[in-house]
Amino acid sequence: MNENALNNRQLGIEQDASLLEFNTLRFDYKAEYLAVVSSLAHLKALLQWANDANQTVTMIGGGSNLLICADVSGLVIINRLSGIQVDVQDEANVMMTVAAGENWHHVVEYAVSHHWYGIENLALIPGTMGAAPVQNIGAYGVEIKDVLRRVQVIHKHTGEQSWIDGKDCGFAYRDSHFKGKWKDTLFITAVELSLKINAELLLSYGGLVAPLDDQSTLLSVFERVCEVRRQKLPDPSFLANAGSFFKNPLISKAHSQTLKARFPELVSFALEENVKLAAGWLIDQAGWKGKRHLGVGVYDKQALVLVNYSEHKADALLALEALIKQSVYERYGVLLEREPVQLPLSSHSESLS
Ligand SMILES: Cc1cc2nc3c(=O)[nH]c(=O)nc-3n(C[C@H](O)[C@H](O)[C@H](O)COP(=O)(O)OP(=O)(O)OC[C@H]3O[C@@H](n4cnc5c(N)ncnc54)[C@H](O)[C@@H]3O)c2cc1C
């Protein structure tokens, strides 16, 4: 064995490794190099290795917001950093510091089981703590930014660690600087969440209100969120998917008024100067719900979710995406934007047709 191979082995680096089990769409592409990391020291050594070998580095958590379209060159790091630290600050506030590789739903369960409020509406979102701020995960009227105090990051090239305040992370609807200007330089290693020991439950979201009454508790809201999600969304362990495939589009008020005149049932929400449309409704009304294309399709209970029944590669899904975007554009003049992150970033570009 030569020196390089020995060094790679000591660092747990595998060459030409399949990414099949690391993405919930279950596409079978390869990583040139792959390592599963469970300690900060190991992460730093891997970053050093990549720098010395002049290799790009990509981090994957649960792979539940990824669209892998080709083999990924460079080093792919699977984040399994673990640990939760709790600091009860006073009778009203708790600070939870969670390592980036922790499973997000387990973090929610942990908080609910200790009667801490703030993230119960975000139950059952797949993936890791570290990826949650990347697209500012949200559900049922709550976003991670509402409870996020700081994120701990490591610089890809220098290995230096620092903390960034939540207010400086550029959080927006399914967006943050981690998807933008920081995507090539920073990885998240831990997140500080600010939770409440007693707080109001947020029940304003339609899907939660109906079956709940004044007796709602933290636990009943958590259970209701899990129940609604299990009814509506496919479990990736049984049917491959990456959750919502498209973002809800923002359009101007004038455009929405024109659409409302033509489609009185249009589902829309006012958002400051703009109007947000329900992408699932647009796709459903364009006739796509339950439709199949080769081995992929549109989920029959939620048109926003594209599922993979039997494909090993992304081509059929990319073709279905293009067909849906084209048809929604022709019908409503609205361009849908993809939600999952594409890997590698330089492969097939997202286009209308
Ligand atoms: C059934 C289903 C339901 C879903 N429901 C929701 C929902 O209700 N709301 C919602 O917002 N999302 C939802 N999602 C999307 C997904 O669960 C979230 O985006 C989640 O946060 C992704 O976590 P992950 O660990 O799987 O990230 P990955 O898919 O592994 O990575 C996503 C992106 O983050 C980057 N990344 C990962 N870890 C780090 C890190 N530590 N530091 C820096 N960058 C990192 C990756 O490089 C990639 O660009 C759903 C997905 C599925 C399959």
Side-chain angles (χ1 to χ4, degrees):
M1 193 180 293
N2 68 29
E3 202 184 320
N4 281 349
L6 186 66
N7 193 18
N8 291 4
R9 211 166 136 175
Q10 280 164 349
L11 285 170
I13 298 172
E14 223 185 304
Q15 206 163 348
D16 291 327
S18 170
L19 289 169
L20 181 68
E21 64 173 294
F22 300 114
N23 74 106
T24 61
L25 271 168
R26 310 281 299 162
F27 289 138
D28 194 4
Y29 292 101
K30 284 190 169 141
E32 189 177 4
Y33 299 100
L34 182 126
V36 179
V37 76
S38 54
S39 78
L40 272 175
H42 187 198
L43 177 58
K44 285 182 181 175
L46 288 170
L47 294 179
Q48 183 66 55
W49 175 91
N51 266 327
D52 293 347
N54 206 16
Q55 297 288 347
T56 56
V57 190
T58 306
M59 187 167 274
I60 293 183
S64 64
N65 205 29
L66 289 184
L67 173 59
I68 308 182
C69 303
D71 291 344
V72 182
S73 57
L75 173 65
V76 173
I77 297 179
I78 308 296
N79 188 336
R80 295 292 177 262
L81 296 175
S82 63
I84 297 182
Q85 267 178 23
V86 173
D87 178 14
V88 179
Q89 306 207 299
D90 50 42
E91 55 291 1
N93 299 292
V94 175
M95 199 65 72
M96 258 172 89
T97 308
V98 184
E102 287 284 346
N103 175 279
W104 169 252
H105 181 65
H106 293 164
V107 177
V108 178
E109 281 181 322
Y110 186 95
V112 170
S113 69
H114 286 81
H115 306 284
W116 300 329
Y117 293 67
I119 50 178
E120 57 282 0
N121 290 28
L122 301 177
L124 225 58
I125 297 180
T128 52
M129 177 74 263
V134 174
Q135 77 149 358
N136 182 26
I137 57 166
Y140 304 104
V142 175
E143 290 180 327
I144 190 83
K145 74 164 172 47
D146 303 331
V147 293
L148 185 148
R149 187 162 166 256
R150 299 192 299 171
V151 286
Q152 187 193 50
V153 295
I154 188 162
H155 197 287
K156 280 187 196 185
H157 307 301
T158 63
E160 273 170 33
Q161 284 187 276
S162 56
W163 286 92
I164 304 177
D165 257 35
K167 64 175 168 30
D168 298 324
C169 291
F171 290 127
Y173 166 64
R174 298 296 183 272
D175 204 11
S176 76
H177 290 328
F178 294 101
K179 269 184 137 177
K181 64 179 180 182
W182 295 337
K183 78 175 185 313
D184 295 323
T185 46
L186 300 180
F187 288 134
I188 297 171
T189 46
V191 179
E192 250 182 32
L193 301 173
S194 173
L195 304 181
K196 299 280 176 216
I197 291 174
N198 252 314
E200 300 276 302
L201 295 164
L202 192 90
L203 306 173
S204 53
Y205 186 88
L208 293 185
V209 176
L212 293 166
D213 51 28
D214 291 337
Q215 310 303 313
S216 292
T217 62
L218 181 63
L219 185 61
S220 73
V221 171
F222 166 81
E223 284 171 346
R224 178 72 190 139
V225 169
C226 293
E227 189 188 325
V228 173
R229 291 183 67 96
R230 283 195 183 106
Q231 284 163 8
K232 249 181 32 180
L233 295 166
D235 179 342
S237 346
F238 299 104
L239 182 53
N241 75 91
S244 303
F245 200 83
F246 299 101
K247 294 184 187 180
N248 289 323
L250 279 183
I251 60 168
S252 68
K253 280 191 179 144
H255 188 173
S256 94
Q257 277 157 6
T258 318
L259 284 178
K260 257 294 196 275
R262 281 179 57 212
F263 307 99
E265 308 292 307
L266 185 80
V267 181
S268 62
F269 318 87
L271 200 78
E272 291 157 13
E273 291 309 293
N274 295 306
V275 174
K276 192 196 260 186
L277 302 182
W281 187 90
L282 301 176
I283 298 165
D284 185 359
Q285 295 298 305
W288 286 101
K289 199 189 239 179
K291 286 270 162 68
R292 287 197 184 207
H293 173 77
L294 302 171
V296 298
V298 180
Y299 190 50
D300 55 4
K301 296 195 190 106
Q302 168 55 273
L304 201 48
V305 179
L306 304 190
V307 294
N308 176 19
Y309 297 105
S310 58
E311 296 290 333
H312 300 291
K313 303 289 178 196
D315 304 68
L317 193 71
L318 289 167
L320 177 62
E321 175 191 32
L323 289 169
I324 293 172
K325 285 175 79 167
Q326 185 77 37
S327 107
V328 165
Y329 187 74
E330 279 166 7
R331 196 174 156 96
Y332 306 102
V334 172
L335 195 53
L336 291 177
E337 200 185 319
R338 186 194 291 156
E339 185 180 302
V341 176
Q342 180 177 303
L343 286 185
L345 294 168
S346 56
S347 61
H348 306 63
S349 61
E350 198 185 347
S351 65
L352 182 58
S353 55

